[in-house]
């Protein structure tokens, strides 16, 4: 593992690594440091998905308000490096503030910017106000522009194929997804589940500010979300009723100063009245001066389950059986790759011509129609159920399946299937829930 503190050295190292492995992918985990099991779960996922894993450790002054804990925030680089090394990270990037923010702004302690609002002369990335003026944004003005400005810089420096964020900061996740989509950046944003203590308390670097008694009191956050989920599972979809259940659980702990209880659309963060597809139920509360957040996604739709593992582990059999047992659609992702291979061959596009294949795939429509015992496969409304099993398609499908543009387009289509009615499929890319298998 290598540690870099300058942008030039990091870029140089990544250029060399990419030259050594031209097809290798880079997974990036940005952090504020003080790594705990939550961060390590992001790193482990990044390792599973990629050839090179980069972690940044940078306490970003731009995302802390003037009254917040920037100075006090735990800085534990040595311990972080040890954890990264043990988890198999390839590169850690830990720059001093002046490297990322410029020395003129930081020349005297009083000039240290404590939020993007203090940076009138610098370019900033400002997320849409509709996503920042609620939830944590109301109590922390300047926080999200501070996050997006630094994440934009880090993405531009590291240029990863995939970047990993925890679902715990659900508002941050939604805002970063939006930034990446709006600015057409070629990076996949991967969300990883919240890691909790056995008590339910979500892991957070700020938990270390809590006394043992406060820790116990903090458990009420997750308990209140579970209460909301129970109401939802009883078939109550009204936001008012669900939020009421959360409030009533929180009010049992008098020392909690609740900042908000919100139910919003997980992508747009707009408040919802009733849960149609999914709702993000989020809470924030102070215990003493420590501000804690937690959330849970309530899904009013059938799940997308992905079975992942090495060749020969029995993924197809498990996928098929699970779909039968759960009454979910078996999504044959292999058939989709075969269908685009068939289309490319029919269209006489050279299979190595990735840009031409990308054009073709991003404009095609694949339909999988369950029949009595089989799955009918249509591409652009043409029935190719038999054609995709030909030896020519079999010989060429792996060439297309290896192309990132093909995977990206098909994953989008697979997810839209999942949203319609729930699916079980092979491959970790599409899953809301991913189940790894071993040989
Ligand atoms: O979630 C965090 O740790 C930070 O907000 C991030 C994404 C590293 C940006 O500083």
């Amino acid at each position: 593992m290598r540690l870099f503190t300058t942008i030039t050295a990091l870029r140089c190292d990544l250029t060399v690594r990419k030259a050594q492995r031209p097809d290798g992918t880079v997974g990036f985990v940005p952090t504020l440091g003080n790594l705990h099991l939550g961060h390590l779960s992001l790193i482990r996922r990044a390792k599973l998905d990629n050839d090179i894993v980069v972690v940044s450790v940078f306490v970003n002054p731009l995302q802390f308000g003037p009254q917040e804990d920037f100075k006090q925030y735990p800085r534990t680089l040595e311990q972080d490096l040890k954890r990264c090394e043990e988890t198999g990270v390839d590169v850690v990037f830990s720059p001093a503030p002046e490297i990322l923010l410029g020395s003129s702004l930081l020349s005297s302690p009083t000039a240290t910017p404590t939020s993007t609002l203090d940076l009138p002369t610098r370019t900033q990335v400002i997320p849409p106000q509709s996503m920042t003026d609620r939830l944590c944004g109301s109590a922390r003005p300047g926080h999200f522009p501070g996050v997006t400005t630094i994440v934009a810089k880090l993405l531009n420096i590291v240029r990863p194929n995939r970047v990993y964020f925890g679902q715990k900061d659900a508002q941050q996740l939604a805002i970063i997804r939006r930034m990446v989509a709006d600015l057409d950046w070629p990076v996949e944003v991967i969300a990883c589940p919240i890691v909790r203590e056995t008590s339910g308390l979500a892991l957070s670097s700020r938990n270390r500010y809590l006394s043992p008694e406060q820790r116990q009191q903090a458990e009420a956050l997750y308990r209140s979300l579970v209460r909301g989920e129970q109401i939802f599972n009883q078939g109550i979809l009204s936001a008012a009723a669900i939020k009421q259940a959360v409030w009533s659980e929180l009010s049992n702990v008098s020392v909690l100063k609740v900042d908000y209880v919100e139910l919003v659309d997980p992508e747009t963060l707009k408040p919802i009245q009733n849960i149609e597809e999914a709702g993000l139920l989020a809470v924030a509360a102070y215990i003493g001066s420590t501000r804690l957040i937690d959330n849970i996604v309530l899904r009013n739709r059938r799940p997308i389950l992905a079975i992942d593992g090495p060749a020969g582990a029995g993924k197809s059999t498990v996928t098929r059986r699970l779909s039968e047992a759960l009454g979910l659609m078996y999504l044959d992702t292999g058939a989709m790759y075969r269908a685009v291979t068939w289309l490319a061959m029919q269209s006489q596009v050279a299979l190595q011509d990735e840009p031409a294949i990308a054009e073709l795939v991003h404009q095609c429509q694949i339909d999988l129609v369950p029949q009595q015992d089989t799955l009918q496969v249509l591409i652009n409304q043409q029935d190719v159920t038999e054609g995709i099993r030909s030896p020519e398609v079999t010989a060429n499908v792996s060439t297309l399946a290896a192309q990132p543009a093909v995977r990206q387009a098909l994953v989008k289509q697979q997810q839209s299937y999942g949203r319609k009615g729930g699916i079980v499929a092979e491959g970790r890319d599409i899953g809301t829930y991913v189940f790894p298998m071993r040989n």
Side-chain angles (χ1 to χ4, degrees):
M1 187 182 83
R2 302 198 70 178
L3 166 68
F4 295 106
T5 58
T6 64
I7 298 170
T8 315
L10 176 78
R11 280 195 167 139
C12 187
D13 178 83
L14 290 174
T15 306
V16 172
R17 283 175 198 268
K18 283 180 192 164
Q20 283 165 350
R21 301 185 75 157
D23 293 333
T25 59
V26 176
F28 175 43
V29 183
T31 80
L32 296 174
N34 193 235
L35 305 184
H36 52 62
L37 287 175
H39 298 108
L40 299 189
S41 75
L42 305 183
I43 297 174
R44 288 201 187 99
R45 174 76 200 269
K47 263 198 85 62
L48 261 181
D49 295 348
N50 301 283
D51 304 290
I52 302 165
V53 174
V54 182
V55 172
S56 66
V57 174
F58 180 66
V59 185
N60 169 28
L62 304 185
Q63 67 189 76
F64 289 80
Q67 310 305 328
E68 292 183 359
D69 54 347
F70 173 64
K71 291 229 162 75
Q72 199 193 337
Y73 200 84
R75 287 156 173 87
T76 53
L77 185 61
E78 224 163 274
Q79 180 192 303
D80 294 344
L81 291 175
K82 197 158 162 273
R83 294 202 167 146
C84 285
E85 177 105 59
E86 285 163 3
T87 322
V89 170
D90 298 286
V91 179
V92 175
F93 179 49
S94 185
E98 55 271 28
I99 297 283
L100 282 190
L101 302 172
S103 54
S104 57
L105 281 160
L106 300 163
S107 52
S108 80
T110 49
T112 304
T114 48
S115 92
T116 39
L117 304 175
D118 297 341
L119 292 182
T121 60
R122 309 279 295 202
T123 301
Q124 300 171 40
V125 179
I126 309 293
Q129 202 185 339
S130 63
M131 298 183 87
T132 58
D133 63 1
R134 57 175 56 101
L135 301 164
C136 293
S138 346
R140 306 186 72 189
H143 170 71
F144 289 110
V147 170
T148 43
T149 299
I150 218 71
V151 171
K153 283 173 76 76
L154 289 168
L155 288 176
N156 199 27
I157 292 166
V158 178
R159 308 258 171 138
N161 300 80
R162 302 184 180 92
V163 61
Y164 296 80
F165 294 96
Q167 172 66 34
K168 163 133 183 306
D169 296 301
Q171 186 172 14
Q172 167 175 284
L173 174 67
I175 287 172
I176 288 171
R177 276 195 195 289
R178 173 66 71 84
M179 171 179 80
V180 165
D182 284 352
L183 300 178
D184 296 310
W185 283 340
V187 59
E188 206 181 323
V189 178
I190 312 260
C192 297
I194 299 177
V195 179
R196 300 181 180 281
E197 293 184 356
T198 38
S199 66
L201 180 66
L203 297 196
S204 160
S205 299
R206 291 194 168 100
N207 290 354
R208 62 151 55 194
Y209 302 150
L210 302 172
S211 69
E213 193 191 356
Q214 287 177 323
R215 257 184 125 80
Q216 245 184 7
Q217 292 158 343
E219 289 163 15
L221 262 72
Y222 183 57
R223 235 183 6 252
S224 73
L225 293 171
V226 170
R227 187 74 201 106
E229 189 180 36
Q230 282 166 351
I231 298 280
F232 168 72
N233 287 341
Q234 285 162 13
I236 296 172
L237 306 180
S238 135
I242 294 169
K243 288 197 294 187
Q244 176 54 40
V246 174
W247 271 107
S248 89
E249 187 68 41
L250 290 171
S251 62
N252 291 331
V253 181
S254 57
V255 294
L256 275 181
K257 210 174 124 253
V258 179
D259 181 12
Y260 64 74
V261 174
E262 292 267 21
L263 190 59
V264 298
D265 179 288
E267 280 172 30
T268 63
L269 303 178
K270 292 212 173 93
I272 49 181
Q273 306 304 319
N274 278 296
I275 302 179
E276 307 274 334
E277 264 202 9
L280 171 72
L281 180 60
V283 294
Y286 289 89
I287 296 197
S289 57
T290 307
R291 188 171 187 279
L292 298 174
I293 57 171
D294 201 350
N295 70 79
I296 200 166
V297 179
L298 305 176
R299 290 185 199 283
N300 191 21
R301 62 166 151 89
R302 310 183 86 195
I304 301 176
L305 306 180
I307 311 298
D308 190 39
K315 295 190 294 290
S316 305
T317 313
V318 170
T319 307
R320 236 176 252 281
R321 295 228 182 118
L322 200 62
S323 68
E324 280 163 22
L326 299 175
L328 295 174
M329 178 185 174
Y330 165 59
L331 186 77
D332 186 352
T333 48
M336 297 179 79
Y337 285 102
R338 282 175 172 272
V340 292
T341 307
W342 180 92
L343 183 66
M345 290 167 69
Q346 290 293 311
S347 316
Q348 304 200 331
V349 174
L351 300 184
Q352 277 78 13
D353 184 350
E354 284 195 39
I357 299 280
E359 284 272 316
L360 197 71
V361 173
H362 276 268
Q363 286 169 19
C364 77
Q365 166 68 35
I366 302 172
D367 292 297
L368 302 176
V369 188
Q371 304 286 320
Q372 190 90 40
D373 291 321
T374 59
L375 201 61
Q376 188 187 25
V377 184
L378 306 173
I379 190 157
N380 297 338
Q381 293 172 352
Q382 187 168 351
D383 187 342
V384 292
T385 313
E386 282 183 20
I388 62 168
R389 303 288 161 195
S390 73
E392 293 78 16
V393 170
T394 304
N396 288 311
V397 63
S398 58
T399 308
L400 265 80
Q403 295 176 9
V406 172
R407 299 188 75 82
Q408 207 187 47
L410 293 193
V411 165
K412 243 193 199 153
Q413 289 207 21
Q414 290 157 8
Q415 285 172 336
S416 75
Y417 267 113
R419 274 197 281 277
K420 278 184 217 147
I423 51 168
V424 189
E426 279 179 47
R428 86 173 69 99
D429 290 347
I430 74 161
T432 311
Y433 304 101
V434 182
F435 298 94
M437 286 183 67
R438 295 204 177 89
N439 268 327

